[in-house]
Amino acid sequence: MNPKAQSFQAYLDKENLKDFTPEEISGDDLKPVVFRSHLALQEARLPVVVVWDLSIYGMVRILVARKALKKDNEAALLKQINATNRKYKAFKYYLDEEGNLVLDACILCRGQKVDGELVYILFDTLAQHLEEAYGEWMKTIWE
């Protein structure tokens, strides 16, 4: 396990947080470790991954909606993504290759230590945002 992943795991162990399952990814020079979990909203349970590697970055990625992009919602969905991305600095939405709606938050790390408390503050911020925004995303996707 790379040093940042070890640091994050140490924080999880210290705080007795059992929400994440780590998985080392082989064959990549940056030696990524993916920590998998879910974010439980009132309306949904969303898959979450946290990725730590040897770069200065960490990543929190949330799958907000599978197959969100449809022919009849493309303009409205792209408009909502752009408006939301202009409003928030800490995270960004995008559509991946399969048309899934994804939310990413990048975490900069000085050295090889992770500030687990800061990561959990970011999780809380993302959870609060999604509690408020999830219904609007679903309206745009399914209308």
Side-chain angles (χ1 to χ4, degrees):
M1 200 178 281
N2 71 57
K4 282 192 280 189
Q6 289 174 345
S7 176
F8 186 60
Q9 184 64 58
Y11 172 79
L12 296 174
D13 293 343
K14 179 180 143 221
E15 297 298 322
N16 200 29
L17 299 168
K18 308 288 185 200
D19 302 331
F20 289 94
T21 304
E23 176 188 349
E24 292 185 69
I25 307 300
S26 60
D28 187 318
D29 291 343
L30 291 176
K31 302 197 181 313
V33 178
V34 176
F35 287 78
R36 298 181 191 285
S37 189
H38 287 86
L39 176 62
L41 303 178
Q42 288 180 0
E43 299 178 47
R45 186 174 150 104
L46 307 179
V48 174
V49 295
V50 180
V51 182
W52 302 110
D53 61 24
L54 296 178
S55 73
I56 67 167
Y57 303 104
M59 179 67 66
V60 176
R61 179 166 289 160
I62 301 173
L63 179 58
V64 178
R66 294 184 194 280
K67 307 292 185 196
L69 182 62
K70 310 206 182 331
K71 287 180 185 176
D72 57 341
N73 74 1
E74 184 172 12
L77 188 55
L78 291 174
K79 183 177 179 183
Q80 187 173 352
I81 288 170
N82 283 336
T84 305
N85 284 346
R86 282 191 303 270
K87 186 175 179 182
Y88 295 100
K89 292 185 240 182
F91 50 85
K92 297 299 174 200
Y93 284 93
Y94 65 93
L95 296 167
D96 69 10
E97 301 83 22
E98 289 90 36
N100 301 314
L101 181 62
V102 179
L103 177 123
D104 274 359
C106 185
I107 303 167
L108 289 172
C109 298
R110 176 172 276 161
Q112 295 300 313
K113 241 184 140 151
V114 170
D115 183 342
E117 187 175 344
L118 183 63
V119 174
Y120 263 78
I121 290 169
L122 178 59
F123 289 149
D124 285 343
T125 300
L126 295 171
Q128 289 173 13
H129 164 73
L130 283 165
E131 282 290 354
E132 296 169 10
Y134 187 78
E136 290 301 313
W137 286 113
M138 292 303 103
K139 265 202 242 173
T140 302
I141 290 167
W142 294 113
E143 281 187 350

